[in-house]
Amino acid sequence: LIGRFMFELPEEMGLIAIAVRQTQGKGRGGNVWLSPVGCALSTLYITIPLHSKLGQRIPFIQHLMSLAVVESVRSIPGYEDIDLRVKWPNDIYYSDLMKLGGVLVKSTITETTFYILLGFGFNVSNSNPTICINDLIAKFNKEEGTMLKPLTADCLIARTVTILERLIDIFQEQGPNGVLPRYYKYWVHSGKQVRLYNEEGPIAWIVGIDDCGYLQVHEEGKGVESVCPDGNSFDMLRNLIVPK
């Protein structure tokens, strides 16, 4: 629905659609996205100038969106140690154990502008089918003796969008180096070893993200190479990076 208005609005105007529940949620690669009540579910429309720093590195937009979701919780005083993290290229995780959210980006380009729909959803208060943010808060309270209050989807959506706007501004001023330290602070991959192609494939170590937003891996004897998110899948459960 929101896509119908993309080319009818002034470029400087954003738009957001918020759903209590989705009946036809979509994920990457045509996957179905589960959308129970208790999740923060939104699609945000933004425009990015093609010749800006972010416009020249547009894959970064999904990383900025994922980071904004994590920081929407972990930037609240007292909630800094809630173990919410980002997984390349577009997932939100509890530690490196369990997925509780994700990001889906669709874009259209003209001569001067990217028109972008940023879909994001993360589980705030529904304990099924995996875990939710308020479960993590309750767990933290029990372990640390704190009394942090549960959070609401509306609050976290608002915080996420506000933080994303700031991250985009920083990126446009400073490029990748302006945001990557914050991204690495919360990502799950530091120092992780993976197999390439299959479970018997060559061993590689995750190095970081390159200047275009692609994952960098170091394979023994071959140096560092970049992995494009559109052509590869990162299977956390088996520590595999495999071609799609």
Side-chain angles (χ1 to χ4, degrees), residues 128-160:
N128 295 310
T130 55
I131 198 169
C132 65
I133 289 171
N134 284 340
D135 285 345
L136 302 185
I137 294 170
K139 179 176 181 289
F140 184 82
N141 283 338
K142 184 176 180 180
E143 292 174 350
E144 302 296 329
T146 52
M147 298 181 65
L148 300 177
K149 294 181 179 179
L151 300 173
T152 65
D154 290 350
C155 168
L156 292 182
I157 289 171
R159 291 183 60 85
T160 295

Side-chain angles (χ1 to χ4, degrees), residues 1 12 20 24 46 55-58 67 69 102 105 115 139-140 154-155 164 169-170 218 240:
L1 177 62
E12 66 274 10
V20 174
Q24 297 180 8
I46 61 172
Q56 292 297 298
R57 301 165 180 84
I58 207 64
L67 176 58
V69 170
V105 180
Y115 298 84
K139 179 176 181 289
F140 184 82
D154 290 350
C155 168
L164 176 67
D169 288 343
I170 293 169
H218 181 257
L240 281 178

Side-chain angles (χ1 to χ4, degrees), residues 54-72:
L54 183 54
Q56 292 297 298
R57 301 165 180 84
I58 207 64
F60 262 98
I61 192 67
Q62 62 189 331
H63 307 324
L64 299 185
M65 187 79 255
S66 299
L67 176 58
V69 170
V70 170
E71 287 198 347
S72 74

